[in-house]
Amino acid sequence: MSKLPKVLHLVQELEFDEPYLAVLKDAGYQCYVGIDRKHLLKQLEAEEFDLLIIEWRNDDTTVWMLEQVREFLQWHGPILFIADKDDEEGLHQACAHHRDNFLTRPIQPNTLLSCANKLVQNARYTMHQDCFEFGPYQVSLGLKEISLKGKPINLTSKEFELGALFLRNPGRLYSRKFLLKKIWGIDCDISTRTVDAHISSLRKKLNIKGDGLYRIKTVYQHGYRLELLEETEAVA
């Protein structure tokens, strides 16, 4: 893999964390832990990860986690559940709905590594396809160009990176901290005027003003996300 993959793991049982994640670390994975669900969600909102590993619990807490990750944050990366054999039936249903994957104990370290490699490689292949479309927008990563109905838009390099990120992941919630690190390479809490100014400019250049079918919404105390509006909302 060209870039060291980053995995985020929800720690619930220390006995899982040490022996199983060791094989990922030895293979070059950067391993991060969430000490609880809220901490994990905060990291997922602020950082870029290739894989999320969660211990499956057959209760409402896991359902809540999935709702937060998939529906609120709109994170579309791969999730690998670790579960007991008795939970297999419920896992099949959940994973089929969200297109996630699971392994049941006992797990061989090489099986975990093989599964993680496959999930990360598949996700990266999808994410790095050179050209894609979203509604009337066409994005060429190779040319670093975004077009609206076939007409190229004059964007700065940072505006292109922001636009491509939002158009690639409609609905995904991005924190200002994440955007500063991803687009500007700044990993600290500083004034967010730079992000806000670029978002404002991007809205104008992409003609996303909130009165059409799309909007880049400011989510209070979180960040921004690109949303597809219902037609009734767009004309209201």
Side-chain angles (χ1 to χ4, degrees), residues 23-163:
V23 69
L24 296 181
K25 292 176 182 177
D26 290 344
Y29 278 71
Q30 301 177 72
C31 296
Y32 298 77
V33 297
I35 57 176
D36 56 38
R37 287 173 171 77
K38 289 185 177 180
H39 180 237
L40 179 139
L41 291 171
K42 190 173 182 179
Q43 289 192 81
L44 199 59
E45 188 178 314
E47 297 278 348
E48 186 174 21
F49 292 97
D50 295 285
L51 175 65
L52 180 59
I53 299 179
I54 300 177
E55 298 233 14
W56 175 271
R57 289 188 176 182
N58 196 20
D59 56 26
D60 291 341
T61 59
T62 302
V63 174
W64 178 83
M65 271 292 297
L66 273 174
E67 289 176 348
Q68 293 297 305
V69 171
R70 293 303 196 198
E71 296 177 23
F72 180 65
L73 293 181
Q74 286 285 311
W75 190 77
H76 300 298
I79 298 177
L80 177 61
F81 291 106
I82 305 299
D84 292 322
K85 195 74 173 176
D86 295 341
D87 296 324
E88 215 169 329
E89 184 176 347
L91 271 163
H92 275 296
Q93 296 176 359
C95 291
H97 179 67
H98 293 282
R99 290 179 293 181
D100 294 318
N101 294 263
F102 70 90
L103 294 173
T104 55
R105 299 183 182 88
I107 304 167
Q108 295 297 322
N110 286 339
T111 300
L112 176 65
L113 178 59
S114 177
C115 184
N117 284 341
K118 181 179 179 180
L119 292 175
V120 171
Q121 288 170 353
N122 289 345
R124 285 187 172 184
Y125 174 78
T126 301
M127 286 298 295
H128 290 89
Q129 288 179 316
D130 186 61
C131 298
F132 65 92
E133 295 184 0
F134 175 74
Y137 301 95
Q138 302 83 41
V139 181
S140 171
L141 299 178
L143 295 176
K144 295 188 179 299
E145 181 179 88
I146 297 176
S147 300
L148 175 57
K149 297 180 180 179
K151 184 178 180 180
I153 302 170
N154 184 22
L155 300 171
T156 67
S157 62
K158 298 303 182 187
E159 288 169 348
F160 168 78
E161 291 181 50
L162 274 174

Side-chain angles (χ1 to χ4, degrees), residues 183-234:
I183 307 299
W184 284 271
I186 300 172
D187 190 13
C188 63
D189 294 316
I190 63 172
S191 170
T192 58
R193 291 178 184 174
T194 296
V195 176
D196 297 339
H198 278 75
I199 293 293
S200 178
S201 177
L202 190 65
R203 284 177 174 135
K204 294 175 183 177
K205 291 186 177 182
L206 295 185
N207 197 28
I208 299 178
K209 303 174 183 177
D211 55 356
L213 289 179
Y214 310 97
R215 69 178 174 191
I216 298 178
K217 182 180 179 180
T218 303
V219 182
Y220 180 63
Q221 292 187 336
H222 287 280
Y224 297 97
R225 70 162 126 230
L226 174 63
E227 295 184 344
L228 172 63
L229 302 178
E230 298 292 338
E231 289 193 19
T232 52
E233 291 182 275

